[in-house]
């Protein structure tokens, strides 16, 4: 029978302003018992965990590169169009909401379901050595006219990942080239920014925003993006990408990522995304009017509200 010392008197919870009485926990090992003090009650423990999670999110957000206007944005910050509500009335109601807020339509509800299902290769999908089994189908490519909510929906997914403790890097294409210029022009021996190509190639989750916005690319710009895409393709690391352009031509004479960055980039993104290439059409949430028509067909139709499978 275990040698049990007498239980100490109850002690106060150490949570700020709490003071609840707490009993000690009994631990028995090798026939001997010991009373261990409980520092926090259940409520204070939950609050401490929530505060720790918030601090972790804030740290990840500061290091992600996501613009400050998207701090805290989630898929819940959407407004549903009422049944029979005209687009003009819906736009007026949406305009009264704090930004960033986008309208919830059947189409972007499908996109939200797609992005909610996004998870980077991690422990549940890894082998015994911790290597991802397959990340090729976990990348996502959102295309469509300006103002249709591509970046906002993508950032909602990124914020959700950071709440789960997953680090992300948000990198618009134009910023990639600007940071490379700063590094190249720094005086010899001076402290410069980190190697943005290396970071983008090796980070856990990369969000490439506004691909194709830079025209008349120089060879070093094409090489940089190709190096990033190829490294992530070879390393089974996912990419969330947005663009006003399709990866491949859907109409004669249309501008494409393949034409700007080459078939090597476009073909790898096509394989990495699989069925997760979606085009947003119809409505500009910035101007409250119809988005510029492109004539390009949607590449994927997803079941409403149903996350896609991993095939």
């Amino acid at each position: 029978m275990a040698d049990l010392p007498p239980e100490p008197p109850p002690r106060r919870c150490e949570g700020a302003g709490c003071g609840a009485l707490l009993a000690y926990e009994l631990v028995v090992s090798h026939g001997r018992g010991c009373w261990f003090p409980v520092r926090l009650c259940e409520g204070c423990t939950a609050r401490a965990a929530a505060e720790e999670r918030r601090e972790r999110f804030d740290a990840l957000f500061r290091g992600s590169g996501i613009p400050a206007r998207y701090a805290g944005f989630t898929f819940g910050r959407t407004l549903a169009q009422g049944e029979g509500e005209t687009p003009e009335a819906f736009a007026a109601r949406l305009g009264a909401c704090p930004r960033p807020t986008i309208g919830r339509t059947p189409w972007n509800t499908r996109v939200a379901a797609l992005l909610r299902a996004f998870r980077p290769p991690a422990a549940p999908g890894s082998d015994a050595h911790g290597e991802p089994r397959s990340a090729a189908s976990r990348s996502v490519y959102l295309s469509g006219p300006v103002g249709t909510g591509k970046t906002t929906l993508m950032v909602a997914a990124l914020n959700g990942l950071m709440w789960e403790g997953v680090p992300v890097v948000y990198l618009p294409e134009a910023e990639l080239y600007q940071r490379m210029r700063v590094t190249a022009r720094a005086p010899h021996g001076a402290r410069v920014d980190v190697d943005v190509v290396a970071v983008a190639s090796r980070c856990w989750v990369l969000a490439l925003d506004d691909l194709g916005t830079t025209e008349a690319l120089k060879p070093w710009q094409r090489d940089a993006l190709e190096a990033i895409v190829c490294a992530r393709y070879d390393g089974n690391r996912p990419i969330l990408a947005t663009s006003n352009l399709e990866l491949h031509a859907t109409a004669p004479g249309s501008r494409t990522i393949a034409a700007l960055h080459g078939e090597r980039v476009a073909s790898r993104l096509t394989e990495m995304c699989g069925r997760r290439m979606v085009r947003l059409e119809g409505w500009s949430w910035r101007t409250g009017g119809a988005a510029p028509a492109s004539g390009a067909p949607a590449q994927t139709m997803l079941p409403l509200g149903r996350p896609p499978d991993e095939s």
Side-chain angles (χ1 to χ4, degrees), residues 11-248:
R11 63 197 306 269
R12 297 287 182 179
C13 173
E14 297 180 9
C18 182
L21 291 177
L22 301 175
Y24 283 66
E25 287 186 355
L26 177 63
V27 177
V28 178
S29 177
H30 300 289
R32 303 189 65 179
C34 182
W35 295 97
F36 280 85
V38 178
R39 298 179 57 251
L40 299 173
C41 64
E42 291 185 2
C44 291
T45 299
R47 285 190 290 273
E51 183 178 352
E52 180 180 354
R53 188 183 184 199
R54 178 71 199 190
E55 291 176 352
R56 181 180 60 184
F57 171 83
D58 290 342
L60 290 175
F61 187 88
R62 287 193 298 269
S64 68
I66 297 175
R69 73 188 300 267
Y70 293 109
F73 183 83
T74 66
F75 289 113
R77 291 271 303 271
T78 59
L79 185 67
Q81 184 174 4
E83 185 176 355
E85 186 177 18
T86 65
E88 292 75 17
F90 183 41
R93 193 159 59 93
L94 183 69
C97 296
R99 292 302 189 198
T101 301
I102 62 173
R104 189 165 70 247
T105 64
W107 185 260
N108 61 24
T109 298
R110 296 183 180 101
V111 177
L114 166 72
L115 291 173
R116 279 194 182 100
F118 173 84
R119 291 295 182 275
S126 303
D127 60 20
H129 302 287
E131 294 296 326
R133 294 183 183 132
S134 174
S137 64
R138 291 195 174 102
S139 296
V140 178
Y141 188 84
L142 300 181
S143 61
V146 295
T148 50
K150 302 182 296 298
T151 298
T152 305
L153 289 169
M154 179 178 69
V155 169
L158 298 178
N159 282 338
L161 291 173
M162 288 187 291
W163 275 114
E164 297 176 9
V166 178
V168 305
V169 170
Y170 170 86
L171 185 64
E173 182 185 4
E175 183 178 337
L176 165 65
Y177 304 143
Q178 177 60 29
R179 294 181 65 177
M180 291 179 67
R181 288 191 189 96
V182 171
T183 301
R185 294 173 180 174
H188 179 71
R191 181 180 178 182
V192 297
D193 206 355
V194 295
D195 185 348
V196 64
V197 174
V199 171
S201 300
R202 301 169 186 169
C203 62
W204 196 256
V205 175
L206 174 64
L208 279 175
D209 198 18
D210 287 332
L211 283 179
T213 55
T214 303
E215 299 186 23
L217 292 170
K218 298 179 180 179
W220 66 269
Q221 294 171 319
R222 292 170 60 99
D223 291 345
L225 189 65
E226 182 176 323
I228 292 170
V229 172
C230 289
R232 300 193 70 81
Y233 175 85
D234 293 337
N236 281 342
R237 298 182 180 94
I239 296 175
L240 296 179
T242 71
S243 178
N244 302 138
L245 309 178
E246 300 298 323
L247 288 173
H248 301 278

